[in-house]
Amino acid sequence: MDTTARLLAAAERLFDRHGYTATGMDRLTEAAGMSSRTLYKHAGGKAQLMARVLGERDRRFLARLEVRRVDALFAALGDWLRVEGSRGCLFLRARAETGGDAPEIAEAVAAHKEAFRRRVAEVVAADLGREDPELAEQILILFEGAAHAAVYRGPEAAEAARAAAATLLQGARR
Amino acid sequence: MDTTARLLAAAERLFDRHGYTATGMDRLTEAAGMSSRTLYKHAGGKAQLMARVLGERDRRFLARLEVRRVDALFAALGDWLRVEGSRGCLFLRARAETGGDAPEIAEAVAAHKEAFRRRVAEVVAADLGREDPELAEQILILFEGAAHAAVYRGPEAAEAARAAAATLLQGARR
DNA sequence: TGAAGTGTAAAACGAACGTTTTACATTCGG
DNA sequence: CCGAATGTAAAACGTTCGTTTTACACTTCA
């Protein structure tokens, strides 16, 4: 595992579990097992590091959503929640913690959410056999809701959302 | 407007707009127009202050959800989002930022989410004419999803969720 | 009249913040 | 074999953190 990968993995873990602002650079260097000099050479700074973490997470998350059915979308969410834990969307949290300052973070969040929206619309279109922007928006809301309700209702929220999505899809089918 | 109300209003505004950790006590004293001595006498400390902010917000938010129909639930959410802005649920954000430390905050969040869940279940039961825990869970997820999707999709997310909820309710009705 | 209560302004506490720097190893291709 | 490149360890930069303290002014009411 090379330096950059070690750094990004440690940073994602700490930012996700303890928050962006609350995580100091010294904890980061310790967790990543490197000096602060190396860290700054690789990452540039704290906000840039967070932006790269979000970029990696975007790749990893969207890779799981390469499916053809709405059902599979929520199955993938359930898997993710069970593997990664439920602390709410890291992108929205990063945006909220930095309040719109830190442009690199705001951009990473916007890019991810747009890619996510597009993916959901694609899956809905594939499953339904035609485009349906209204339904896609509803499915997106169910997905986002399950991800956040899971924080206090557990990962089973993904299954409840899957059932709701099936009902909506059924209603749209004729 | 007395000292405590001024303090709580300023604290809610700053915590919501810039985050809990990123908001320093000096900004708080300045925004509330009081000395730090007075602030600490009234609030006890930063975490206690956040807990009291959340308590007030819980009251204010749930008061808006005193309705009899699921439709009205999402109308109320739309109003809230348009008035207060969309930065994601302050309770979940506070929980995530403190990562489970700060017991007073964790308790305030848990209490709010349980009260919220109960309220949704009540409204669903009143609208449907009978209890339906599965449907209530789906409506809760739609609500939570609209609140968070609104951050990047705008307050219209509440209307999309309302339409989805109507479909689910219709499906449960016979 | 005087003590208690409530407020302000400002300095100070040690600790932690993000970042840079200094000084010194180690690897490795030309 | 020499000079980049890449790493470490550790101190230091000035700033800000949450909190406490000191010293003083004003009201309220027994």
Side-chain angles (χ1 to χ4, degrees):
Chain A
M1 202 173 187
D2 78 330
T3 314
T4 297
R6 235 168 59 227
L7 173 55
L8 289 179
E12 178 170 2
R13 182 165 211 282
L14 289 178
F15 286 154
D16 184 39
R17 289 192 138 69
H18 305 291
Y20 170 70
T21 314
T23 299
M25 297 304 269
D26 49 349
R27 279 201 200 172
L28 234 24
T29 59
E30 195 190 334
M34 64 186 57
S35 67
S36 67
R37 195 174 202 272
T38 303
L39 189 154
Y40 274 90
K41 190 153 291 187
H42 279 77
K46 198 187 186 186
Q48 286 181 60
L49 176 56
M50 178 48 127
R52 293 182 64 171
V53 164
L54 293 179
E56 277 301 303
R57 197 174 171 97
D58 171 73
R59 265 190 52 264
R60 208 151 46 85
F61 184 72
L62 286 189
R64 296 234 197 178
L65 301 189
E66 282 176 356
V67 297
R68 292 184 156 76
R69 310 285 225 85
V70 170
D71 250 26
L73 218 48
F74 289 93
L77 175 60
D79 291 347
W80 174 277
L81 292 175
R82 266 173 271 268
V83 170
E84 309 264 345
S86 314
R87 277 168 299 274
C89 172
L90 183 61
F91 297 87
L92 293 186
R93 286 162 51 202
R95 181 111 174 64
E97 274 206 57
T98 55
D101 317 327
E104 51 261 270
I105 293 178
E107 279 165 31
V109 174
H112 164 75
K113 285 304 185 183
E114 176 55 20
F116 167 64
R117 189 197 61 77
R118 199 140 37 196
R119 172 64 43 87
V120 169
E122 285 167 10
V123 175
V124 168
D127 200 334
L128 194 61
R130 58 174 167 85
E131 296 200 356
D132 188 334
E134 284 83 16
L135 179 61
E137 189 82 8
Q138 296 178 350
I139 301 297
L140 178 142
I141 290 172
L142 272 175
F143 195 103
E144 196 77 68
H148 286 94
V151 176
Y152 54 101
R153 301 295 296 157
E156 301 84 1
E159 276 77 57
R162 184 201 53 72
T167 304
L168 295 180
L169 206 66
Q170 188 59 27
R173 226 179 269 282
R174 30 112 258 116
Chain B
M1 205 172 186
D2 78 331
T3 313
T4 298
R6 233 167 60 226
L7 174 55
L8 289 179
E12 178 171 2
R13 181 164 212 284
L14 289 179
F15 286 154
D16 184 38
R17 288 190 140 69
H18 305 291
Y20 170 71
T21 314
T23 300
M25 296 304 268
D26 50 349
R27 278 201 199 174
L28 234 24
T29 59
E30 195 191 332
M34 65 186 57
S35 67
S36 65
R37 196 173 203 270
T38 303
L39 190 155
Y40 275 90
K41 189 153 290 185
H42 279 77
K46 198 187 187 186
Q48 286 180 60
L49 175 58
M50 179 48 128
R52 293 182 64 172
V53 163
L54 293 178
E56 277 300 304
R57 199 175 171 95
D58 171 72
R59 265 189 53 263
R60 208 151 47 83
F61 185 73
L62 286 188
R64 296 234 197 178
L65 302 190
E66 282 175 356
V67 297
R68 294 186 156 75
R69 310 283 225 86
V70 170
D71 251 26
L73 218 48
F74 290 92
L77 174 61
D79 292 347
W80 175 277
L81 292 175
R82 268 174 269 268
V83 172
E84 309 264 345
S86 312
R87 278 168 298 273
C89 172
L90 183 61
F91 295 87
L92 293 186
R93 285 163 52 202
R95 181 109 174 67
E97 274 207 56
T98 55
D101 318 326
E104 52 261 270
I105 293 178
E107 279 165 31
V109 174
H112 164 74
K113 285 304 184 185
E114 175 55 19
F116 168 64
R117 188 197 61 77
R118 197 140 40 195
R119 171 62 44 86
V120 169
E122 284 167 11
V123 175
V124 168
D127 200 335
L128 194 62
R130 58 174 167 85
E131 297 198 354
D132 187 334
E134 283 84 17
L135 179 60
E137 190 81 7
Q138 297 179 349
I139 301 298
L140 177 143
I141 290 171
L142 273 176
F143 195 102
E144 196 78 65
H148 286 95
V151 176
Y152 55 100
R153 300 297 295 158
E156 301 83 3
E159 276 77 58
R162 185 201 53 71
T167 304
L168 296 179
L169 206 65
Q170 189 60 25
R173 225 182 266 288
R174 20 119 260 116

